Amino acid sequence: MFDNMKIPPSIPRHSIACFGEVLWDLLPSGPQPGGAPMNVAYHLHKLNRNPAMISRTGKDERGRKLLDILQNKGVCTDYIQQDDTVPTGIVNAQQHANGDMTYEIVAPAAWDHITADDRTAAMVEQADYFVFGSLACRHPASRETLFQLLEKARTKVLDINLRAPHYDRPLIESLLQKADILKLNIDELELVSGWYPGAVSITARLAHLRERFSIPVIVLTMGANGAMLDINGKTYNHPGYKMKVVDTVGSGDAFLAATLSMMQDNAGPADTLDFANRLAATITTYKGACPDYDIKEADSLKRITHI
């Protein structure tokens, strides 16, 4: 679609572009703006990375309020489209005793209908990183747009974000084939690696994904057990930070934002992994995915030097 693209003049440069769902998480404590790629964009903004969000809302009260909140929080909304007929997305969320959440992702939703245009493609082409996930592929419209933009992206960051029943093996494998950086949690690793019997240990499963899909960097979050970073076959481990958890919503998204921010600064793997754990731990002490917080809270955690 973009083979004869004419790049519009004066396209502002954004270091990271995030593609996918923007919505309202209807939490037990009340509605909160959400959607994994939007959460990543929010935390990237907090880290002064000038991200842009590519999505779609309805022309309704929820959509207007969501855009207002994002603008007030400083997140670029220039590439968030508005739909005349399809409503702004919502998710019904339920919190369990251990702090984990389950979600009902309601359809129809405007973010299922993201369209492509030359202006958006030009922005993606200039960005250092392009963040995307599997949920935005549940509808053919946004899925087609995503694959068009992937052809323009420099470094493709797959935040796999598996949400049943909105994925299948062929879709996930097609996304893995595109990824330069893969971020997933321990449950997602268990599910995906189960498609390829043989590897038993976590490191062996990561190695299999790296080799099968030629993925240079894999980021694995393990909840209270910390995280791992696999870079070209060398693995780094971090035990994580123990916090009094309010909820875990958005902590993985903060982790990814911190990781990309550190990578942009050419930080070493150990420093990258430690800061990502510190920021993710900080977010678990708040309600919702995009709380107001000071980055100094993450900086104040005592650094774990043994990695």
Side-chain angles (χ1 to χ4, degrees):
M1 177 176 179
F2 303 116
D3 291 344
N4 299 313
M5 179 181 72
K6 295 180 180 179
I7 298 178
S10 303
I11 290 289
R13 188 178 185 280
H14 295 273
S15 64
I16 302 176
C18 299
F19 178 96
E21 61 274 14
V22 295
L23 46 83
W24 285 97
D25 283 322
L26 304 185
L27 301 167
S29 58
Q32 294 283 346
M38 192 202 76
N39 299 340
V40 174
Y42 170 74
H43 293 292
L44 285 168
H45 173 73
K46 295 284 284 186
L47 295 166
N48 297 313
R49 295 298 156 173
N50 191 30
M53 183 67 223
I54 305 167
S55 191
R56 194 175 183 95
T57 66
K59 282 188 176 179
D60 50 27
E61 182 60 28
R62 280 186 170 133
R64 287 189 291 272
K65 189 172 181 181
L66 186 56
L67 290 174
D68 286 345
I69 289 173
L70 291 175
Q71 289 163 1
N72 289 336
K73 288 180 179 289
V75 177
C76 174
T77 61
D78 294 350
Y79 302 90
I80 298 181
Q81 306 154 12
Q82 291 184 289
D83 198 296
D84 290 323
T85 57
V86 184
T88 299
I90 60 172
V91 171
N92 294 319
Q94 181 179 0
Q95 184 176 6
H96 301 280
N98 63 357
D100 289 340
M101 307 292 295
T102 56
Y103 306 90
E104 177 201 4
I105 305 168
V106 178
W111 56 264
D112 281 324
H113 301 274
I114 305 169
T115 59
D117 57 49
D118 288 349
R119 180 171 171 270
T120 301
M123 184 274 291
V124 168
E125 193 169 37
Q126 294 177 19
D128 296 328
Y129 297 97
F130 179 70
V131 179
F132 63 103
S134 62
L135 184 56
C137 295
R138 73 171 183 173
H139 191 283
S142 287
R143 181 168 66 244
E144 180 179 354
T145 299
L146 172 59
F147 277 87
Q148 290 170 357
L149 293 175
L150 283 169
E151 295 304 310
K152 293 295 179 182
R154 295 183 185 182
T155 302
K156 306 168 184 66
V157 183
L158 172 57
D159 182 6
I160 199 165
N161 196 28
L162 299 181
R163 294 287 185 257
H166 305 296
Y167 66 89
D168 55 30
R169 179 173 172 176
L171 169 65
I172 298 307
E173 289 184 330
S174 69
L175 295 176
L176 289 168
Q177 288 167 0
K178 299 289 187 182
D180 299 305
I181 299 173
L182 168 64
K183 182 260 182 185
L184 73 173
N185 63 37
I186 190 67
D187 293 331
E188 291 163 342
L189 176 64
E190 178 79 17
L191 190 153
V192 174
S193 62
W195 297 337
Y196 317 111
V200 177
S201 69
I202 291 176
T203 53
R205 292 175 180 182
L206 293 177
H208 183 87
L209 291 179
R210 181 184 69 247
E211 294 165 6
R212 186 183 186 95
F213 297 101
S214 300
I215 305 173
V217 178
I218 303 179
V219 183
L220 176 68
T221 59
M222 300 182 290
N225 295 317
M228 296 177 66
L229 180 60
D230 184 302
I231 301 180
N232 294 318
K234 186 170 183 180
T235 302
Y236 301 82
N237 297 275
H238 194 288
Y241 289 87
K242 307 307 178 185
M243 311 292 284
K244 185 176 181 180
V245 174
V246 174
D247 72 43
T248 60
V249 178
S251 59
D253 305 322
F255 188 102
L256 178 58
T259 300
L260 296 179
S261 175
M262 294 292 280
M263 286 181 172
Q264 280 198 307
D265 287 342
N266 295 314
D271 288 337
T272 296
L273 200 53
D274 183 74
F275 179 65
N277 273 278
R278 279 189 278 139
L279 184 59
T282 299
I283 299 307
T284 66
T285 66
Y286 287 90
K287 290 182 180 180
C290 300
D292 290 323
Y293 67 94
D294 191 325
I295 198 65
K296 293 179 181 178
E297 296 174 60
D299 293 335
S300 68
L301 289 177
K302 184 177 180 181
R303 188 182 189 280
I304 295 177
T305 56
H306 179 67
I307 298 178

